[in-house]
């Protein structure tokens, strides 16, 4: 028997019955926190179309940051913590959610802390703005024996771990 895949948002509910409902368009998130969780799950699953569909950014200059260049594809979102919510219930028109999201990019770990603002248009909650802080944790690096160095690695080849650095300056 195959166990259902838990939702990346951390709810312990199977994905198809949780954020999968919102990602598929079968339902709208009923609260600001549910939208926050579904957006986190969309980042974790690289569903950038959902991210774009659920935001109306107040500062249009930020509307495409990190989405057009597909930089999220290199990020492994590992855990979400909801720290606080203010308003954002089904009867409210606005709300905020403060959260911390943990991630790994290549051999680097980090965390994103954000206070997000949401508003409701009709029956749909939308992300409108956020103040965030990103912290990088210490480098997580395993030392491989010299014999484990990949063959044909030149001086200026990007590292295969995804860090964006040259191999010789990273895992080499």
């Amino acid at each position: 028997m195959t166990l259902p895949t838990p939702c990346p948002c951390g709810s312990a509910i199977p994905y198809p019955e949780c954020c999968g409902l919102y990602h598929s368009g079968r339902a709208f998130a009923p609260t600001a926190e549910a939208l926050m969780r579904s957006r986190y799950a969309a980042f974790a699953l690289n569903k950038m179309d959902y991210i774009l569909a659920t935001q109306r950014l107040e500062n249009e200059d930020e509307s495409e940051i990190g989405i057009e260049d597909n930089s999220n594809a290199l990020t492994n979102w590992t855990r979400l913590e909801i720290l606080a919510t203010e308003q954002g219930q089904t009867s409210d028109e606005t709300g905020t959610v403060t959260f911390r999201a943990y991630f790994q990019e290549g051999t680097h770990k980090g965390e994103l802390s954000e206070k997000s603002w949401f508003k409701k248009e009709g029956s749909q909650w939308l992300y409108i703005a956020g103040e965030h802080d990103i912290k990088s944790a210490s480098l997580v690096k395993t030392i491989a024996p010299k014999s484990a160095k990949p063959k044909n690695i030149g001086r200026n080849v990007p590292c295969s771990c995804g860090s964006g650095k040259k191999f010789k300056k990273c895992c080499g």
Side-chain angles (χ1 to χ4, degrees):
M1 179 172 110
T2 305
L3 295 174
T5 304
C7 190
C9 79
S11 69
I13 299 171
Y15 171 74
E17 299 165 26
C18 191
C19 294
L21 287 172
Y22 315 133
H23 294 169
S24 69
R26 292 181 286 160
F28 289 134
T31 64
E33 181 179 332
L35 180 62
M36 173 55 241
R37 288 180 174 281
S38 69
R39 287 174 56 85
Y40 170 84
F43 275 107
L45 298 171
N46 207 32
K47 293 183 175 287
M48 304 319 286
D49 55 336
Y50 182 79
I51 297 300
L52 289 171
T54 58
Q55 68 186 22
R56 300 289 183 276
L57 300 181
E58 291 182 338
N59 183 353
E60 290 300 321
D61 294 339
E62 297 175 359
S63 64
E64 298 295 322
I65 293 174
I67 293 178
E68 281 188 15
D69 63 3
N70 206 23
S71 61
N72 185 66
L74 301 175
T75 305
N76 178 27
W77 295 96
T78 57
R79 185 166 51 101
L80 173 67
E81 289 178 16
I82 302 296
L83 303 174
T85 59
E86 296 174 30
Q87 297 183 309
Q89 301 304 308
T90 55
S91 60
D92 295 320
E93 295 297 316
T94 61
T96 63
V97 179
T98 305
F99 69 92
R100 186 171 296 127
Y102 298 87
F103 63 90
Q104 185 167 348
E105 292 176 334
T107 58
H108 300 274
K109 289 187 176 184
E111 63 184 58
L112 166 73
S113 298
E114 181 171 308
K115 181 173 186 174
S116 300
W117 282 269
F118 299 89
K119 71 176 178 180
K120 196 189 305 183
E121 287 184 3
S123 60
Q124 183 179 11
W125 281 100
L126 297 166
Y127 171 85
I128 58 169
E131 290 180 356
H132 65 269
D133 181 40
I134 299 174
K135 295 180 185 173
S136 293
S138 59
L139 179 66
V140 178
K141 189 169 184 175
T142 56
I143 306 298
K146 293 215 181 248
S147 61
K149 178 181 174 184
K151 304 287 185 219
N152 301 324
I153 296 293
R155 290 178 40 87
N156 297 314
V157 174
C159 190
S160 60
C161 77
S163 68
K165 295 181 181 179
K166 294 179 184 179
F167 177 78
K168 67 182 181 182
K169 294 285 186 179
C170 189
C171 294

